[in-house]
């Protein structure tokens, strides 16, 4: 009986292979809508879920704000769609020099640094 227990202890269980996050950022199209409203159309493959697309759009908005001399952005809305592995985001943000009103405000400089640390490209 001791031999049987020893053999069972030597057997290893198969470990599930972890999904590796390998995003392919396809690009950003930027459109100035009116005044401080900006539309960002992003696309990518390899997203784990809609959060990755939201992050990509936010990174684009933050960098755009800095390029235009603004320090802040605020998300107005983001629509995310996925078809055949291609994820698309249609996001609208406001950009401003001061902290905008609202709950979804973004300090552009902090956000761009975070994007770089995560390997998410900006505009």
């Amino acid at each position: 009986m001791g031999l049987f227990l020893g053999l069972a202890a030597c057997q290893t269980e198969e470990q599930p292979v972890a999904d590796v996050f390998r995003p392919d950022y396809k690009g950003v199209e930027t459109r100035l809508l009116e005044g401080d409203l900006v539309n960002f159309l992003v696309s990518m493959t390899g997203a784990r879920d809609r959060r990755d697309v939201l992050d990509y759009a936010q990174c684009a908005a933050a960098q755009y704000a800095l390029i235009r001399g603004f320090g802040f952005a605020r998300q107005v809305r983001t629509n995310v769609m996925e078809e055949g592995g291609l994820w698309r985001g249609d996001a609208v943000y406001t950009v401003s020099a001061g902290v905008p009103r609202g709950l979804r405000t973004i300090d552009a400089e902090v956000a761009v640094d975070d994007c770089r640390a995560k390997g998410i490209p900006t505009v």
Side-chain angles (χ1 to χ4, degrees):
M1 184 162 171
L3 180 61
F4 177 72
L5 290 175
L7 289 175
C10 291
Q11 294 177 352
T12 60
E13 292 182 32
E14 285 189 34
Q15 297 294 324
V17 177
D19 289 333
V20 177
F21 179 47
R22 291 191 183 119
D24 184 8
Y25 300 99
K26 300 292 187 183
V28 178
E29 186 178 330
T30 306
R31 298 177 183 163
L32 182 60
L33 298 177
E34 182 178 323
D36 62 351
L37 283 176
V38 185
N39 181 216
F40 299 92
L41 302 172
V42 299
S43 60
M44 67 183 293
T45 57
R48 294 168 290 201
D49 56 35
R50 69 187 310 275
R51 181 75 242 168
D52 292 329
V53 182
L54 294 170
D55 289 347
Y56 186 24
Q58 179 175 307
C59 290
Q63 183 65 51
Y64 179 89
L66 291 179
I67 289 169
R68 297 291 179 220
F70 297 111
F72 298 91
R74 181 177 61 81
Q75 181 186 22
V76 175
R77 65 126 177 100
T78 303
N79 296 318
V80 176
M81 300 132 299
E82 185 271 333
E83 185 176 332
L86 179 64
W87 290 81
R88 296 180 189 271
D90 179 358
V92 175
Y93 283 79
T94 61
V95 293
S96 60
V99 179
R101 292 176 28 175
L103 299 176
R104 298 177 180 166
T105 60
I106 300 160
D107 180 319
E109 201 168 305
V110 171
V112 167
D113 287 343
D114 187 50
C115 296
R116 287 185 182 130
K118 292 178 179 176
I120 302 172
T122 57
V123 175

